[in-house]
Structures are given as structure tokens and as C-alpha cells.
Amino acid sequence: MTRFLPPLRLVGATILRDGAMQSRSIAIADGRITRGPLPEIDLSGYYVMPGMIDLHGSAFARHLAPRPAAQFDPMTALCSTDREAAANGVTTAYLSQGWSWHGGLRGPDFAETMLAALYRYKLNALIDMRIALDCETHMVDTAARLMAAIRRFDVGYVMFRNTLDDTLEQLRYGHLSALDEAATEASRGRLHRAQERSREVPRHLCRLAEVFDEMGIVYGSSGDSDGETRESYAMIGAKHCAFPRARRAAAAAKAMGDPVILSATSAVRPSGPKSGVSVIELVKEGICDALASDYYYPSLLSAVWSLVDTHGVSLPAAWALVSQRPAEIMRMPDRGTLGLGRRADLVILNQQTRQIEASLVAGRLAYLSGEAGARFLGHGSQPSAPFVPAAKMTTRTPQTRRN
């Protein structure tokens, strides 16, 4: 793990603090946000924002298997994912790993391999990387194995998912591609064995929920298709509602006070009229509690600016969906805002280009580039020549001045 930055104060920037964009300084020492006179770095022309907390990301799969027949070492994939996330302002990342009858990269064998790799890699990670296990509901016969893996590798986040019925329908009508793992004979066998144990699923989930509650594991469901499905998960304690496939599922979760996590990628790349869920509309209606990268880390920042520029959401409110609210949802009181004593998880953005030029994780440099890099390295204490973008690039944000 890299060393802490020396004690310093960032001055001249516009900082998101106490729910407002403020012209003030922020001090960092020993990995925490502090106060007092310290050596200064001029960040005039920059925003300083809390680090993003990504609750569900599968972008690492692209680094693991960039082509279906080309799989790379998990440690190499984690290293690449680590750097990509940091460059996109993610300081805490939950990597979504399947535990499924699909097998392959989504099966229990690979899940255990991935958990072991991350356990080793975390010692040198730039950001805080964790696993979110996406567990197929019909994996009844692997319950003991699942709990053993959770305990051994200290997994703190589990999401239930049921794709069995959809896959059976696709197989019935021949809609699966030849490359899909579920189209292979081996996977078909696993699928039908899982189907045979359907009656055991409710009791299986209840037993898991009881153990999760005892262990303090956060859990929920992913891809709920309707309000009734969401209610059934909520009844056993699976409160998180991630990537619902129908508006009714999201609305049911919100009505019960359960957090709704939506795809930032879908916010900037809508799925079309058949999707049943408009992420932007749910955000504007206050039904969305957090945005997650889904499968593309740059979507988090893109979604924030889309909400600000096109949909009238304030920058503090939009940013809270990728920082403060995810921290609250995951019971992480040490991060998500830039309050005194919190972890120094910071993202530094150029106000003119809106690009991320630095990410700090617990007071350590995870990513550094551009003019901000020059200023951190002491090669330029004054702002660079103004950048004039071809299109509108900045957003006027109310500011509160403090000394």
C-alpha cells in the first residue's frame, strides 16, 4: 500500500461540503480530513468532491476476459480494474461476482478463485475494492459452500438474483446466442438441476437471511421484475433493490423505505421504451437512492453531469447519489462526505474540462494527471491558461463563501 501524502491543505478550489459548493480550503493529514495551518497546494479552477462509492460494478469482467475465449489472470484483471476505477473517481468499489448455475466466470468455482485473488491483491490496491456476491436463488445445493466462502473471505454484501425463468424461456424459443454459456449442454444440465429444486428456494433464502443478519452482512436483490417480487425479498430482510426491471418494483421498495440502486450507465444510455424503467425519471421523482456504474465506470461522472445540465438537479444533489447516499446505504460513516475526521477520499475535477485529474483514497494518491498533477508535484503553483471548450462545459453552481 502506498504511503500517506504529507500533511497539506488544498486551497482555492470549490469544495462540496455540508451539502453545498463552497469556496474554502480543506486540510488532510494521516489519511483523514483535518484542520489547521499546513503546506498549501493551489487548486484554483478545480472542484474537490467526495470520492465515489460504486455499489455494483462488473467492468472488471472486461479486464478478465476481453474476448470470450481469452481469459487472463485475475490478479492482472484486478490491477487493471483498480487503476481504471481510480481514474474515474471511484474510491470504494464493489465488484459484482456471480455465484450461479451458469458456471464459467459466474460459477462458484471461479467466484472462490476471484475472492482469493482479491484477498491477496487488497494489500497493494489503490482503492478500497470489495466483492458483492450476486447469488442465484436456485443454488440450494451450494448453501454450505457459499457460507464458507463468505466467512473465509469476509464478504459483506450479497445480492439475490433469479434468472432461471428468463433463461428457460430463452432456451424454449431459441433466443440464446451460440456464445452464451447457458447454451452449452453442461450449463443446460445445471439449469435443469436448479429448476428441480425450485420448491426448496424460499426456505433456502430464509436460512441464508438469518445467517446474514447474525453476521451483519448487507443483502438485497437485483433485477426485480415486479412489486410482488420486491416485497417477497423485503419480507426476509433483503432490503436493497438494485437495478429493478420494472418501475413498480422500484416504487414498492421506496414505499417500504428500502434503498433503490439504479444503473448510471442506463441514465446516460437509456435502454429504450421496452425497458420499463427510466432511471432519470426515477431520480427526478426521488425514487432513486444511489447510482452504480453497472458495467462502465465513466458512466458515474457522465450521469452526474447529465442530471445537472439537462434535468435541473443541483451538483451537490447529483453527486450525493454516487458518494454520500451509497455510504449511508452501506453503513460506512467514515466516507461519502468531506466532514472533519472522515477518510480523505477525494476526487479533484478541472472546472473547465470537467475531467477528473486526481483521486485520493484515505489520503493516498490513487490517480494523478494534468495540471492538477503539476501542482501536486510543485511544478506549477498558478492556474494554467484558460481552456475554452468547443461546447458548454461548465455549470453554474450556488456557492457559499467561508473563510
Side-chain angles (χ1 to χ4, degrees):
M1 185 173 288
T2 58
R3 299 178 182 177
F4 290 133
L5 287 170
L8 54 85
R9 178 177 292 277
L10 308 178
V11 301
T14 301
I15 298 174
L16 174 54
R17 202 160 185 178
D18 300 325
M21 301 305 297
Q22 305 178 10
S23 295
R24 61 183 297 181
S25 62
I26 184 168
I28 300 169
D30 299 324
R32 298 280 173 176
I33 296 170
T34 185
R35 57 162 60 100
L38 294 170
E40 297 181 352
I41 294 178
D42 177 19
L43 285 181
S44 300
Y46 285 86
Y47 293 122
V48 177
M49 314 293 281
M52 297 185 194
I53 301 170
D54 184 27
L55 298 184
H56 189 289
S58 58
F60 74 93
R62 183 175 63 253
H63 298 286
L64 183 67
R67 293 182 179 179
Q71 183 176 327
F72 287 82
D73 177 67
M75 295 292 280
T76 301
L78 286 169
C79 182
S80 182
T81 301
D82 190 13
R83 281 151 178 75
E84 182 187 5
N88 284 286
V90 177
T91 54
T92 302
Y94 283 87
L95 309 183
S96 175
Q97 171 59 52
W99 185 280
S100 169
W101 46 261
H102 282 279
L105 299 182
R106 290 176 282 178
D109 290 346
F110 183 77
E112 290 170 338
T113 297
M114 190 69 184
L115 285 165
L118 181 58
Y119 191 81
R120 297 193 305 273
Y121 179 78
K122 286 180 71 170
L123 294 174
N124 298 306
L126 298 173
I127 70 169
D128 186 352
M129 301 176 75
R130 307 179 181 209
I131 290 287
L133 273 181
D134 254 353
C135 294
E136 284 284 344
T137 56
H138 288 63
M139 296 289 283
V140 178
D141 57 343
T142 66
R145 184 179 179 184
L146 172 66
M147 291 311 308
I150 287 174
R151 290 190 174 95
R152 179 181 178 186
F153 298 109
D154 195 25
V155 176
Y157 196 24
V158 177
M159 300 299 283
F160 294 132
R161 177 191 294 269
N162 180 11
T163 64
L164 187 139
D165 292 338
D166 286 347
T167 305
L168 285 172
E169 183 176 356
Q170 289 175 318
L171 280 171
R172 188 176 299 117
Y173 293 103
H175 291 163
L176 290 177
S177 70
L179 292 176
D180 196 300
E181 290 175 310
T184 67
E185 288 303 317
S187 190
R188 285 173 188 260
R190 291 192 295 268
L191 169 61
H192 290 299
R193 285 194 296 274
Q195 183 186 22
E196 291 170 356
R197 306 197 68 166
S198 293
R199 290 186 178 183
E200 302 174 58
V201 169
R203 184 174 296 179
H204 164 65
L205 296 182
C206 287
R207 285 196 295 262
L208 289 179
E210 289 178 4
V211 178
F212 292 168
D213 288 337
E214 293 173 0
M215 297 177 64
I217 293 172
V218 179
Y219 60 108
S221 62
S222 179
D224 296 344
S225 58
D226 50 51
E228 292 76 12
T229 300
R230 173 86 294 269
E231 289 176 9
S232 67
Y233 282 123
M235 287 177 64
I236 66 170
K239 297 295 188 178
H240 287 203
C241 174
F243 305 159
R245 295 163 53 195
R247 190 186 190 284
R248 287 179 298 171
K254 196 65 177 179
M256 292 182 286
D258 297 340
V260 178
I261 303 159
L262 300 179
S263 167
T265 304
S266 294
V268 295
R269 188 178 182 274
S271 302
K274 295 183 180 180
S275 170
V277 174
S278 169
V279 173
I280 293 297
E281 290 303 316
L282 293 182
V283 170
K284 292 167 66 176
E285 293 173 28
I287 295 177
C288 174
D289 293 286
L291 292 173
S293 70
D294 198 354
Y295 56 87
Y296 188 57
Y297 285 127
S299 67
L300 291 168
L301 184 61
S302 296
V304 166
W305 290 126
S306 176
L307 289 168
V308 170
D309 292 339
T310 308
H311 302 285
V313 180
S314 70
L315 181 54
W319 200 272
L321 294 173
V322 298
S323 60
Q324 181 179 348
R325 291 295 292 124
E328 293 168 351
I329 289 169
M330 294 305 298
R331 310 167 191 167
M332 293 178 163
D334 64 339
R335 65 197 76 183
T337 65
L338 300 181
L340 187 66
R342 300 287 179 98
R343 276 172 44 124
D345 288 359
L346 314 177
V347 177
I348 298 170
L349 295 93
N350 187 307
Q351 289 186 14
Q352 295 175 320
T353 66
R354 290 182 163 182
Q355 297 303 305
I356 294 169
E357 293 190 5
S359 296
L360 278 63
V361 180
R364 299 176 173 89
L365 272 176
Y367 175 73
L368 188 63
S369 67
E371 173 65 19
R375 297 191 198 183
F376 267 87
L377 294 173
H379 297 306
S381 60
Q382 300 299 321
S384 60
F387 172 82
V388 181
K392 178 183 176 183
M393 295 293 287
T394 58
T395 300
R396 293 184 180 179
T397 306
Q399 298 183 9
T400 302
R401 291 193 171 273
R402 291 190 182 182
N403 294 326

